[in-house]
Amino acid sequence: MPILDSDVSYALVKEVVALHRKSDNLDAIVSLASTCRVLREACLPILFSEVHWPHANKHDEESGLHFFPSTLWPYFKRFQLAWPDDWPDANPPKWGDRYYIGGDYHPRHIDKLVTALPNMPSLHSFYLSCPFYPPSSILNALIQCPSLRDLCINDTPLYVSMIPKVPATFHLERISLVPVAEAVRVGEGPYDPRYSEVTYYHREYRKKYKNDTLARYAATAFLFKVGKTASLRYVQVSADLCALEALAGHEWPNLDTLVLTGHAPRGTTELLDVIAQMPKLTELRLLFAKTKTDPGFRVLLDHLPTVKNNYPSVLSQLKHLAMSNACNFDGVFHYTTALERLAISAIIDQPRVPIALSRSDIDKVLEDMAVGCRNVPSRLSRLRIMIEDKVNPDLCRAIAAHCPNLEALEIELCGYHDGKSIHAWGEFADAFSQLTAIRDLRICIQFPEYDEMDKFEPWRAARKECASFLASRIPTLDKIGFEYRKRTGTHRFEDSWLEFNIERKGAALELFELGPSWYPFPEVWHSVPFTASTGL
């Protein structure tokens, strides 16, 4: 029997992988792996490049929770330790023990993971989410993985004593530290469905460890001892865990992306003093959740140097900037002269609904941009804004005038409602005529009140008709989307987008409806398709 050539098997698997990435479906690869031994071996690195553990339905009485066989460990690149948060609250606890009433939950079979970790030579990324204090043995095993570059600790209580002495050969490039129960809502769009369940907020460990002051010391130790500022290129950390003083107290020679979440930081250290310690920083995301009593985080206190003699001009190194409505950014855009991407979102703690910027707030942003671009032409190519007021052609015209090089524009109405529009579609097309490079447009134009459950779906037909009209008037468009109010329950709605790809064939054009997508927090630039893993 002839043996399948390895080059041929590689080409087959590569072609199937390309299809898999488009459809997000593993069935085709599983079927291919079942055909013969050669193809099976070629498929294994793809099938098991990203795995998670534990699996609730894979266990037996003799050995307990099943773990992956050792033959698969070399294929793991991304590993998720996502322990179900309902197991400790069960009576009796599932796959763990409480040695006394009210005591901490101690998981079983963690030793299986600890044994396997040092034997995962390709491990690049590790995600940790546990409803208990992680045993120190896990971190001891992780630092024995020299290939590990990305560590994310999410919704997990931390303690300082779990951090061992980190070897010199261990270098992370990315680290993310998300505290227990940091659940946010961005706009009124889709969000992780677990945040809509009352049980999420009533879990014992979340009530116990939320706002844990000791977690601050542990997070700082993780960031500076495990992360090592000299090697980190990406840092995501909550301001509830790490103060600006701590960030400004270290040099970050290779950091290019800083993502700050949580709530607006307090203290005497200015953000400029932090950026001044990061000479390669090009992307900054200030994704703070707004609170009623907080006056807002002043990104720029004034136009003078700080106490540490750092000038507002350090903002000119930023190319990508994202901020929330919890920020006061007066004067900031006088100095962000190299900005290529800007996002301004409305964020609040779940389960509340945020209030976005007003039209006057957006006008102030555009005015500040005009000041910054007096001597340097605008480089802004991507703009995302959430607004509380209805969009009109005047706003679109103002954006086009101040940002003439836009390639992607998204204007989202925070709390969209259908209604009769007083503006003709042609007025919007005329407003965007200055954007000669625009390819991707999402806009919250008002449409007549249609129920999305109507049999003939007039809400969808009206938007498709408008998409065809704007595509014919704006010849550079490749994709266009319109906002609508999506029903998610009897009395619950959320903002969503109906999008179309535009295919042009000479003077004719054809629209192809796209599937729903969202921005998983803290992503702000590129939306991703809904998948079964998101639960959306």
Side-chain angles (χ1 to χ4, degrees):
M1 181 178 178
I3 298 175
L4 185 64
D5 185 87
S6 59
D7 291 338
V8 175
S9 64
Y10 174 78
L12 283 172
V13 173
K14 186 177 180 181
E15 186 67 24
V16 174
V17 169
L19 295 172
H20 155 63
R21 286 174 179 163
K22 293 178 182 179
S23 64
D24 197 36
N25 190 334
L26 281 172
D27 291 344
I29 299 179
V30 172
S31 299
L32 187 63
S34 303
T35 56
C36 68
R37 179 180 59 81
V38 175
L39 286 177
R40 177 180 178 275
E41 292 177 355
C43 289
L44 286 178
I46 299 165
L47 289 171
F48 293 97
S49 63
E50 183 170 353
V51 296
H52 66 91
W53 184 83
H55 298 89
N57 59 343
K58 296 182 179 179
H59 59 83
D60 60 54
E61 293 185 4
E62 183 178 349
S63 60
L65 287 171
H66 293 174
F67 195 75
F68 302 94
S70 58
T71 54
L72 297 178
W73 298 351
Y75 304 129
F76 298 166
K77 293 182 179 179
R78 295 173 292 278
F79 194 103
Q80 291 190 31
L81 173 56
W83 202 273
D85 63 0
D86 61 313
W87 286 4
D89 290 350
N91 190 16
K94 292 183 178 179
W95 302 112
D97 303 287
R98 295 186 188 275
Y99 300 130
Y100 55 89
I101 298 175
D104 290 336
Y105 172 86
H106 297 271
R108 301 178 199 154
H109 308 303
I110 288 290
D111 59 299
K112 297 180 180 180
L113 171 63
V114 170
T115 301
L117 279 172
N119 298 295
M120 299 180 187
S122 301
L123 187 65
H124 182 273
S125 174
F126 190 85
Y127 174 91
L128 175 68
S129 181
C130 296
F132 50 80
Y133 279 129
S136 58
S137 58
I138 293 179
L139 196 60
N140 276 308
L142 278 173
I143 62 175
Q144 297 179 51
C145 301
S147 63
L148 188 67
R149 293 293 179 267
D150 184 0
L151 176 62
C152 177
I153 303 178
N154 191 321
D155 200 24
T156 301
L158 302 174
Y159 57 100
V160 174
S161 59
M162 73 178 289
I163 302 175
K165 184 177 180 181
V166 180
T169 55
F170 184 78
H171 296 291
L172 290 176
E173 294 180 358
R174 297 170 60 97
I175 190 168
S176 302
L177 301 173
V178 182
V180 173
E182 183 174 276
V184 298
R185 179 157 188 170
V186 182
E188 288 199 39
Y191 56 92
D192 192 321
R194 63 179 174 163
Y195 296 151
S196 64
E197 301 295 332
V198 175
T199 53
Y200 174 87
Y201 306 94
H202 290 175
R203 295 293 181 212
E204 179 183 337
Y205 91 99
R206 288 197 180 97
K207 292 189 291 185
K208 183 176 182 179
Y209 296 116
K210 184 179 181 179
N211 302 321
D212 180 11
T213 56
L214 296 178
R216 290 175 172 266
Y217 301 103
T220 302
F222 263 98
L223 193 57
F224 301 125
K225 293 183 179 179
V226 179
K228 299 179 183 178
T229 58
S231 61
L232 287 171
R233 297 182 56 201
Y234 175 102
V235 167
Q236 177 191 340
V237 64
S238 172
D240 298 323
L241 290 178
C242 186
L244 294 183
E245 287 84 352
L247 295 174
H250 294 75
E251 293 182 354
W252 306 78
N254 293 298
L255 193 73
D256 56 49
T257 302
L258 175 63
V259 182
L260 298 179
T261 64
H263 299 95
R266 294 177 173 82
T268 57
T269 299
E270 293 188 41
L271 182 64
L272 295 183
D273 297 326
V274 176
I275 298 174
Q277 295 287 76
M278 304 171 176
K280 292 186 178 180
L281 187 75
T282 58
E283 179 166 343
L284 176 65
R285 304 182 202 172
L286 305 175
L287 305 180
F288 305 128
K290 188 173 179 60
T291 60
K292 290 182 178 180
T293 57
D294 200 318
F297 174 67
R298 291 293 298 271
V299 179
L300 185 66
L301 295 187
D302 51 43
H303 299 274
L304 301 175
T306 67
V307 174
K308 295 184 179 181
N309 205 36
N310 292 310
Y311 288 77
S313 57
V314 299
L315 295 173
S316 64
Q317 72 187 56
L318 297 177
K319 294 183 178 180
H320 315 300
L321 177 62
M323 295 183 288
S324 74
N325 55 331
C327 296
N328 181 328
F329 29 80
D330 287 347
V332 168
F333 300 105
H334 293 182
Y335 303 96
T336 54
T337 52
L339 214 57
E340 297 174 2
R341 298 193 293 192
L342 173 64
I344 303 178
S345 303
I347 303 177
I348 202 166
D349 293 320
Q350 289 280 4
R352 291 171 291 172
V353 176
I355 304 297
L357 301 186
S358 66
R359 169 65 193 274
S360 60
D361 293 328
I362 299 299
D363 287 341
K364 184 64 171 63
V365 169
L366 296 176
E367 290 169 7
D368 283 355
M369 282 184 179
V371 173
C373 293
R374 283 176 180 171
N375 300 318
V376 181
S378 173
R379 301 181 187 178
L380 201 66
S381 62
R382 178 175 290 271
L383 175 62
R384 282 188 63 215
I385 56 174
M386 291 183 182
I387 190 169
E388 199 67 27
D389 302 321
K390 294 180 180 179
V391 71
N392 57 48
D394 286 339
L395 174 61
C396 299
R397 195 174 295 109
I399 290 174
H402 288 86
C403 313
N405 297 314
L406 283 180
E407 298 175 8
L409 172 62
E410 179 176 321
I411 309 175
E412 178 178 337
L413 181 60
C414 193
Y416 179 88
H417 286 279
D418 288 332
K420 186 177 181 180
S421 177
I422 61 174
H423 304 287
W425 295 343
E427 294 183 64
F428 287 99
D430 293 339
F432 291 127
S433 61
Q434 299 179 60
L435 299 178
T436 57
I438 190 74
R439 298 197 308 267
D440 189 347
L441 177 64
R442 275 181 164 186
I443 186 170
C444 50
I445 291 178
Q446 293 297 117
F447 289 90
E449 294 185 23
Y450 293 128
D451 190 326
E452 67 163 306
M453 303 303 291
D454 285 351
K455 183 177 180 180
F456 298 106
E457 298 187 304
W459 68 275
R460 187 185 301 270
R463 286 166 174 80
K464 186 172 184 178
E465 183 182 352
C466 184
S468 181
F469 174 83
L470 291 182
S472 66
R473 293 284 299 273
I474 308 173
T476 57
L477 274 184
D478 295 328
K479 188 166 69 171
I480 188 167
F482 299 101
E483 197 171 358
Y484 73 98
R485 198 70 165 159
K486 180 180 180 181
R487 191 192 306 275
T488 58
T490 306
H491 302 289
R492 290 173 48 226
F493 297 84
E494 66 184 28
D495 296 337
S496 191
W497 295 94
L498 178 67
E499 289 188 281
F500 302 92
N501 261 343
I502 303 168
E503 185 174 308
R504 301 179 185 274
K505 298 177 180 179
L509 59 86
E510 191 171 354
L511 301 180
F512 297 92
E513 185 177 329
L514 299 174
S517 63
W518 74 314
Y519 295 91
F521 189 82
E523 175 58 51
V524 293
W525 307 123
H526 302 290
S527 59
V528 299
F530 290 172
T531 64
S533 60
T534 64
L536 295 167

